[in-house]
Amino acid sequence: MSKLKTSTLKKVMHYAQPYKTKMYWVVISVITLSVFAAVRPYMLKEVVDKYIETKDNQGLLFYILLMFLVLVLEVGSQFSFTYIANWLGQNIIKDIREELFDKMTRFKLKYFDNEPVGKLITRNVSDIESIASIFSQGLFMIIGDVLKMVVVLGIMAYMNWKLTIIVLAAMPILLYATRVFQKHMKVAFEEVRAQIANLNTFVQERITGIKILQLFTREELEYKKFEEINKKHNDAWQKNILYNSIFFPIADIVSSVTLGCVIIYGGFSIIGGDNITTTGDLFAYTMMISMLFNPLRQIADKFNVMQMGIVAADRVFEIMDRNDLIQENGQITAPKFEGNISLQNVHFSYIDGVEVLKGIDLEVKSGQTVAIVGSSGAGKSTIINLLSRFYEISEGTITIDGTNINDFTLESLRKQIAVVLQDVFLFSDTILNNITLNDPELTKEQVIEAAKKIGINSFIESLPNGYDYNVKERGIMLSSGQRQLIAFLRAYMSNPSILILDEATSSVDTYSEELIQQATEILTKDRTSIVIAHRLATIVNADVIIVMDKGKIVEKGSHQELLTIENGYYKNLYDSQYAVE
């Protein structure tokens, strides 16, 4: 293995530290299994030479019982090894998967902007499963096979050095073939893992966007793309199959030829009266050659299994070693905010060199409702992303109640801010759990009481099973307006100091919009609120309206004040929406 792969194996073994006792038991099981397996052929030689040829019935019966005892111990060692090695592997990947998931949930959103979801799913599921094979089918089995070969070779040399030389003469051929096989299989496994990730990414995206795919009748085109990706995946596996198909027959031929040479030489030696070689030797060697060559052949296979596990581990650790965590240096636990927000000379870029916000200065006073309007790409949603610290600003400062938001702990900051987005995400769970997000401190009774206050309890109760209604993946069982209402209630239950509504009333039916307007009035009462909207009718009563264009604030004022600006951005936008002549 290369230095890189050795370092990766060391990282994996680090996760075995909490399970040292189990590791010791695996090692003991491997040693005993190797010794018992290698001793059986020697005992067969003794049976043939000392008891069968001399017709010693009592000695034969004793040795048969002894061989049976050794077999029982070997089976026991095999069970102990198989169970503990697999147990160890599964517990290690459980720990790795939990650490990976925990770290991924703390990554900056910028990371997820650039990484396909299918790839991340592959890392978290199938790649981590492959790591388990390092323990269950790789490392310890290789150690056991090597130990078995050493013991077998020692016994063979002790039994008959001439026959052992014949066996050793064939081993360089098999060792060379094994090395070539390993080299090619390493490349093949890396290609297989890459194609699996591509396949998962493609399928996940198409299933997620199935409505668009069907709406624009893209089934045939997407099928052809899938055929191409699937063919690459198939080709990668075909290489794997080809290398196995070449190597294992070569190994079998070498083993069979060696066995034939041993039998020919040993047979003629016995016939010629050579006292060194016995009939028992031939019986034992027929078993020992397979015990020597099969492990060597299987070591290549097991090494490849372990190599696949290490390749998978490399891909997992590539994510775990990334420094994409949100910087959390804040030491202050945010108190209940009054809600005074200040942005001073804020610059921000999603892509280096392409500024989205170009020196924003904005003051929001406690209890105010501030609306932000502007064309798509003006930077409206970016402001709320920065306020919640989903992204880090490039330049400037953002403060709440006079304290830089970077000085607050991330958890306490976000607990004070509730966001209702245009595209509401609901989990495949009940309405109740989507509202509480499984917070044990929030009871069903509290949720029902809150739903009554904002006027959506009747809507929820009208659904089958009410609050226990399962909305399925992404809330597909609800309309967009109903999902918005659930999001409003979820925000209300968090009792935030600052409320952000990002296009929260767009694309909903009239009935849902009325309920949302009612909920909005209750949610925004006596708390600082920032409302981003395209539909100007929803923000005419805002205390302040901010108009943005190309990353800058171009106008600011109340609805009436902005309408007085001749040929102003807001006035033109308002006139176009209401067709004012």
Side-chain angles (χ1 to χ4, degrees), residues 153-419:
L153 270 175
I155 294 175
M156 291 172 78
Y158 172 76
M159 287 169 49
N160 192 310
W161 64 271
K162 291 183 178 180
L163 296 181
T164 303
I165 289 175
I166 296 175
V167 174
L168 289 174
M171 289 194 70
I173 300 173
L174 194 55
L175 286 171
Y176 176 76
T178 300
R179 179 57 186 160
V180 173
F181 177 64
Q182 290 171 351
K183 182 179 179 181
H184 285 83
M185 286 301 291
K186 173 180 174 289
V187 176
F189 281 143
E190 289 175 343
E191 178 65 17
V192 165
R193 300 313 304 176
Q195 293 305 325
I196 288 174
N198 291 339
L199 193 62
N200 283 348
T201 299
F202 185 88
V203 173
Q204 187 272 332
E205 287 182 348
R206 270 57 187 183
I207 291 176
T208 302
I210 191 67
K211 286 184 179 179
I212 298 298
L213 189 151
Q214 293 182 352
L215 181 64
F216 289 91
T217 63
R218 304 284 289 184
E219 294 92 340
E220 188 65 27
L221 183 61
E222 294 300 327
Y223 174 73
K224 289 179 180 178
K225 288 183 180 179
F226 179 78
E227 273 189 319
E228 294 175 8
I229 295 173
N230 196 36
K231 185 179 183 303
K232 290 180 181 179
H233 175 261
N234 180 261
D235 290 344
W237 272 112
Q238 291 298 335
K239 286 183 183 179
N240 187 302
I241 294 168
L242 176 63
Y243 296 146
N244 278 284
S245 301
I246 294 173
F247 173 74
F248 288 110
I250 290 175
D252 287 337
I253 290 171
V254 173
S255 177
S256 299
V257 170
T258 304
L259 178 59
C261 292
V262 166
I263 292 175
I264 291 171
Y265 178 83
F268 280 112
S269 296
I270 294 172
I271 293 171
D274 183 357
N275 293 327
I276 295 179
T277 305
T278 67
T279 305
D281 288 342
L282 291 183
F283 273 97
Y285 267 71
T286 57
M287 292 181 63
M288 285 183 165
I289 287 174
S290 64
M291 294 179 68
L292 187 65
F293 281 57
N294 283 347
L296 185 59
R297 185 184 72 172
Q298 291 168 3
I299 280 176
D301 192 34
K302 291 167 185 173
F303 183 87
N304 288 323
V305 171
M306 188 170 76
Q307 189 69 264
M308 180 174 274
I310 291 175
V311 168
D314 258 338
R315 296 155 75 89
V316 170
F317 290 137
E318 179 188 355
I319 295 177
M320 295 178 70
D321 293 341
R322 290 184 68 97
N323 188 28
D324 283 296
L325 293 174
I326 300 169
Q327 297 301 312
E328 188 172 2
N329 301 318
Q331 302 294 321
I332 302 173
T333 300
K336 185 69 174 176
F337 288 146
E338 292 180 15
N340 294 294
I341 302 170
S342 175
L343 283 73
Q344 298 175 358
N345 192 34
V346 173
H347 292 256
F348 175 75
S349 304
Y350 290 105
I351 303 172
D352 291 341
V354 182
E355 275 198 331
V356 177
L357 297 183
K358 305 171 183 178
I360 295 295
D361 292 302
L362 176 63
E363 299 291 333
V364 181
K365 296 180 181 179
S366 175
Q368 272 190 333
T369 295
V370 175
I372 304 177
V373 299
S375 60
S376 297
K380 307 184 298 296
S381 296
T382 299
I383 289 178
I384 66 170
N385 285 333
L386 298 179
L387 188 61
S388 302
R389 288 199 61 200
F390 290 132
Y391 297 87
E392 302 294 337
I393 61 177
S394 307
E395 185 182 335
T397 57
I398 300 176
T399 63
I400 298 179
D401 295 341
T403 302
N404 192 311
I405 60 172
N406 292 329
D407 294 335
F408 295 119
T409 62
L410 199 60
E411 182 180 3
S412 65
L413 170 69
R414 289 181 176 170
K415 278 188 174 181
Q416 301 262 11
I417 302 172
V419 182

Side-chain angles (χ1 to χ4, degrees), residues 352-561:
D352 291 341
V354 182
E355 275 198 331
V356 177
L357 297 183
K358 305 171 183 178
I360 295 295
D361 292 302
L362 176 63
E363 299 291 333
V364 181
K365 296 180 181 179
S366 175
Q368 272 190 333
T369 295
V370 175
I372 304 177
V373 299
S375 60
S376 297
K380 307 184 298 296
S381 296
T382 299
I383 289 178
I384 66 170
N385 285 333
L386 298 179
L387 188 61
S388 302
R389 288 199 61 200
F390 290 132
Y391 297 87
E392 302 294 337
I393 61 177
S394 307
E395 185 182 335
T397 57
I398 300 176
T399 63
I400 298 179
D401 295 341
T403 302
N404 192 311
I405 60 172
N406 292 329
D407 294 335
F408 295 119
T409 62
L410 199 60
E411 182 180 3
S412 65
L413 170 69
R414 289 181 176 170
K415 278 188 174 181
Q416 301 262 11
I417 302 172
V419 182
V420 179
L421 300 173
Q422 176 184 2
D423 183 19
V424 176
F425 186 93
L426 297 181
F427 296 95
S428 179
D429 206 335
T430 64
I431 285 180
L432 179 63
N433 288 338
N434 270 289
I435 293 168
T436 64
L437 296 177
N438 296 299
D439 185 343
E441 295 183 3
L442 297 178
T443 65
K444 185 175 182 178
E445 290 70 24
Q446 290 174 317
V447 172
I448 293 173
E449 184 63 29
K452 289 178 179 178
K453 286 182 180 179
I454 65 173
I456 67 171
N457 180 63
S458 299
F459 139 65
I460 297 176
E461 292 287 4
S462 68
L463 297 171
N465 300 321
Y467 287 86
D468 295 320
Y469 180 61
N470 193 312
V471 300
K472 304 300 180 184
E473 186 175 2
R474 300 182 68 89
I476 195 171
M477 302 304 291
L478 300 177
S479 69
S480 59
Q482 291 172 328
R483 290 196 294 271
Q484 290 282 6
L485 291 170
I486 299 301
F488 269 84
L489 183 53
R490 182 161 62 192
Y492 185 68
M493 290 302 300
S494 67
N495 192 26
S497 300
I498 298 170
L499 177 68
I500 298 173
L501 306 179
D502 186 2
E503 307 287 357
T505 59
S506 63
S507 303
V508 297
D509 57 89
T510 304
Y511 174 71
S512 295
E513 183 175 359
E514 290 176 359
L515 290 177
I516 289 173
Q517 290 289 358
Q518 178 182 339
T520 301
E521 291 178 10
I522 296 172
L523 261 69
T524 57
K525 186 179 180 180
D526 299 326
R527 62 167 52 93
T528 303
S529 304
I530 299 176
V531 181
I532 297 173
H534 279 301
R535 298 172 63 183
L536 303 186
T538 62
I539 50 99
V540 293
N541 293 322
D543 297 309
V544 180
I545 297 174
I546 306 296
V547 184
M548 294 189 65
D549 185 40
K550 298 178 181 179
K552 294 182 178 180
I553 295 176
V554 294
E555 293 176 2
K556 183 190 301 184
S558 67
H559 171 70
Q560 293 299 330
E561 289 171 344

Side-chain angles (χ1 to χ4, degrees), residues 91-129:
N91 276 276
I92 286 171
I93 66 169
K94 174 184 72 69
D95 295 343
I96 294 176
R97 183 180 284 119
E98 288 175 355
E99 184 175 328
L100 175 62
F101 181 81
D102 181 62
K103 188 161 189 177
M104 284 173 57
T105 58
R106 300 175 191 276
F107 277 166
K108 300 174 183 177
L109 286 188
K110 186 176 182 179
Y111 174 80
F112 298 100
D113 293 340
N114 300 317
E115 292 293 338
V117 175
K119 172 184 172 181
L120 299 178
I121 292 173
T122 301
R123 298 293 181 271
N124 221 307
V125 182
S126 59
D127 279 342
I128 287 186
E129 283 296 332

